[in-house]
Amino acid sequence: MFRTALRNVLAHKARLLMTVLAVMLGVAFVSGTLVFTDTLGNAFRNQSAKSYDDVAVAVTTYADQRDEKTPGLTAATLKKMQGLDGVDTVTGRVSGFAGVADPDGKLIGNGWSNTGGNYSPGKNGKDPAYTFVDGKGPDAADRIALDEQTAKKGEYHVGDRVRVATNGPVKEYTLSGVFTTEDGAVNAGGSLVLFDAPVAQKLYLRAGEFRDATLSASAGASEEKLLAAVKPLLPENAEAKTGTALADEQAEQIEKGLSSLNAMLLAFAAIALFVGVFLIANTFTMLVAQRTKELALMRAVGASRRQVKRSVLLEAAVVGVIASVVGFLLGLGLATGLRSAMGLMGGKIPAGPLIISPTAVAAAFGVGVLITVLAAWLPARRAAKIPPVAAMSSVHAVATVKSLVLRNSIGGTLTLLGAGAIVGGAAKAGTDGRWLVGLGAFLALIGVIVLIPLLSRPVIALVRPLLKRLFGVSGKLAAQNAVRNPRRTGATASALAIGLTLVTGISVLGVTLGQAIDRATTDNIKADYMVSMASGDPLDESALTALEKAPGVTAVSPQQAASITVKGEYHSASGVTPGDVQKVFAVNTVSGSLDSLGKGEIAVGDKTAKSNGWKTGDTLPVTYEDDKKGTLKVGAVYEENEFLSPVLMPRNIVDAHQSRPEIREIWLKTDGGASKANEQALIDALGDNPAMSVMDQKDIRDTFGGFINQALNIMYGLLAMALVIAVLGVVNTLAMSVFERQQEIGMLRAIGLDRRRVKRMIRLEAVVISLFGAVVGVVLGMFLGWAIGQTLKADIPDYALVIPWDRIGVFLVLAGLVGVLAALWPARSAAKLNMLTAIKTE
């Protein structure tokens, strides 16, 4: 039976290729994902371990420039550490944000990973953390050193003047050296600026203090003994760990960080394999139907049902092994490509070998073979039921009425259960509701796929008159052929239906959320511009002062982070400018007036007021951030929105209780609205600071909604694999359909159907099947998009379902194009058939 299975595989090379392609793509994604994340994790772990090679003990404090109560590490403390037995060197570190401007004044890097730190030379005059390729470390207040990548991007050389922005005004420094480093910020595509230690201390903490320190050990010294000796010297709230422990912790964090990427890629691999199942099952079903006489003859000469079933499953196993081998090799290429792509996008991936783990190999071959064999199980079972008497007839095996009734009953039950769960989840909302919708989506998708053969006849019957009117006899024959074998049509359409369900659902949800964000921005913001730090850090107060004096500015209000405690309960607040806050935000008052802010009163959001039982005119006993107590009167209650804190306070009250203001954003209204001239005036007022972003309303919308569009594009790209497999399914179905109908096509040619109309018939059949699957997918996708949106509705103000008809139209056009492309080869094969040879074919 093994020889028979192998012979059958080799006898149908074209079909073998189609099936192998379907499995191969899914296996490639699975193996590529596992190899990529293993390689990435190994490289980062090695880099992490390397960065702690010379660290015996690391000390971390939580000292903050804005908090005088939390001390850092003083020179005296470091000196005591240096005097401990077994300590070789002690290096103090302090760091924060530092952005470097390129020759055009733009920020080099992405903001959040642009860092600055101190250069700390040891006894030999070198800092062990950095290797200089040109020049030397900074040894004066007006000198800096840059990492090699940043210097290259900015076209800077030793001796050049470099503009650097921290949280204050931009300053110019002389470049003293260029270095290489394994610093994580640089590897993430950011930049690193090294300052002379006293300069870095003043910039990021306080004069004479470091935030962290690392201790290297003398030969033979124990890390654990050093750790025990260091702990008594630490200030309050500081902690110390061995270098080994820190390397292990960082390795664990790397694993967690990569797990989400791994899960996402594997989810799309599962989708691709799920779609591939239908193609594989369809292929083996048609192979069994075409080999009815052959299988019946095997039964007649003594083969048992078990042997026939085993023969078909062995064919599937051979196909699975071939697909797994090719898919695994392709997965290695995919892993290499992903690594290169991350490098091209600015992420520096540490050097290291490609890691091929036993898990990746086992997963690739296990998934490939298992999926193929499972998909072939039902066709194999059907083949085993072929009676020996069928060898005497040319009639292929047909589905019994009983099997169709059972199939439709199961499909209907699953669909109803899935729809009920989806509606229930939409009504429940929240996280529990989303899980329920997910379960319902799975059941409904399976149910609809099972029912697709039943749905195909009435749906395609609706377009039959149109096809006949537009394309004549070719259109009529195409519609008839599309429903001649509902199982085959359903299996082919299923692949497209799954892909379009996911794409449509994601599109509905993405566009709906995007427009909700747009409306929130338009409805709640009056400001022409928002100024913030590219790093996400607070702005320096000097930026607010400069913008208040900028030409053309008519109103300016910060969002200055603050908080108050009322009766033991913490409340987030913002310090704003009275009189200007209502000019930069659309604040709808429920009671009272925002003018009361100018009298030293506060405004409270309606939800916060309701939950606490506050109302306009109430006097609240409060505790400020500096633990001082006082009272505040509620002067207004307003409708809350996502751009304002639940409590608004006049800036002068907030300033009185903060040692340093924490200004997250500054909102501005300008004379004449947003314009290039007004934007340039703001940039000039800020000293052309590359670290400060000046955004108009469009930029603000893009900032808040851009991640949605980016996520959509990633989803579309990954789901393209499912559509590629769907195309292969259509090609496979049509090719086998042409093979089955050789005699019929020969007869059609003999009675006058020319080659051009034969091609058109096959193409139209493909388009009809593709559009049928697409319509089913689009309808189900819109339903799922609505349901998931309902679970998010409570958390998203101004939520309203939006159906992106333009995108759906594009999806349907693309589905039709898929049909046309998939029919090219089968249509050409059908048109080239020799009519006499075809007529004689059984």
Side-chain angles (χ1 to χ4, degrees), residues 437-577:
V437 169
L439 174 63
F442 178 75
L443 293 174
L445 194 58
I446 297 295
V448 168
I449 287 167
V450 173
L451 283 177
I452 271 186
L454 178 67
L455 297 173
S456 63
R457 289 185 182 276
V459 173
I460 294 176
L462 294 174
V463 298
R464 186 182 297 172
L466 180 64
L467 289 172
K468 184 178 179 181
R469 189 177 303 116
L470 293 176
F471 302 103
V473 67
S474 295
K476 179 181 178 181
L477 291 171
Q480 290 175 343
N481 290 333
V483 294
R484 175 181 294 183
N485 190 333
R487 286 177 182 268
R488 184 172 62 211
T489 298
T492 307
S494 295
L496 275 172
I498 294 167
L500 266 297
T501 296
L502 297 169
V503 170
T504 304
I506 289 168
S507 296
V508 169
L509 192 61
V511 171
T512 298
L513 293 178
Q515 292 201 14
I517 290 171
D518 282 351
R519 282 193 298 274
T521 304
T522 304
D523 295 346
N524 295 315
I525 297 175
K526 290 182 180 179
D528 297 316
Y529 294 100
M530 180 187 80
V531 175
S532 62
M533 290 291 292
S535 61
D537 291 330
L539 289 152
D540 190 79
E541 193 173 13
S542 61
L544 178 60
T545 304
L547 289 171
E548 287 173 336
K549 298 175 181 177
V553 172
T554 58
V556 55
S557 178
Q559 282 257 44
Q560 184 173 333
S563 66
I564 56 173
T565 303
V566 181
K567 296 181 180 179
E569 187 174 348
Y570 170 89
H571 295 279
S572 175
S574 285
V576 296
T577 303

Side-chain angles (χ1 to χ4, degrees), residues 20-109:
V20 164
L21 282 172
V23 184
M24 178 191 74
L25 289 172
V27 170
F29 222 146
V30 170
S31 58
T33 295
L34 293 174
V35 170
F36 173 65
T37 51
D38 285 345
T39 299
L40 215 59
N42 181 71
F44 280 119
R45 279 192 297 273
N46 288 342
Q47 181 194 53
S48 173
K50 185 179 177 182
S51 65
Y52 288 108
D53 276 349
D54 297 323
V55 177
V57 174
V59 177
T60 303
T61 73
Y62 298 94
D64 190 286
Q65 197 171 33
R66 292 182 295 271
D67 183 7
E68 298 284 348
K69 296 178 182 177
T70 307
L73 299 170
T74 63
T77 303
L78 296 185
K79 189 174 181 180
K80 289 178 183 177
M81 292 179 183
Q82 183 69 68
L84 295 172
D85 288 339
V87 173
D88 183 26
T89 60
V90 178
T91 306
R93 300 290 183 194
V94 65
S95 61
F97 170 77
V100 179
D102 66 15
D104 297 324
K106 303 296 183 183
L107 181 69
I108 297 174

Side-chain angles (χ1 to χ4, degrees), residues 332-348:
L332 296 182
L334 179 64
T336 305
L338 284 171
R339 185 172 176 172
S340 300
M342 285 189 69
L344 290 174
M345 289 188 292
K348 184 182 175 184

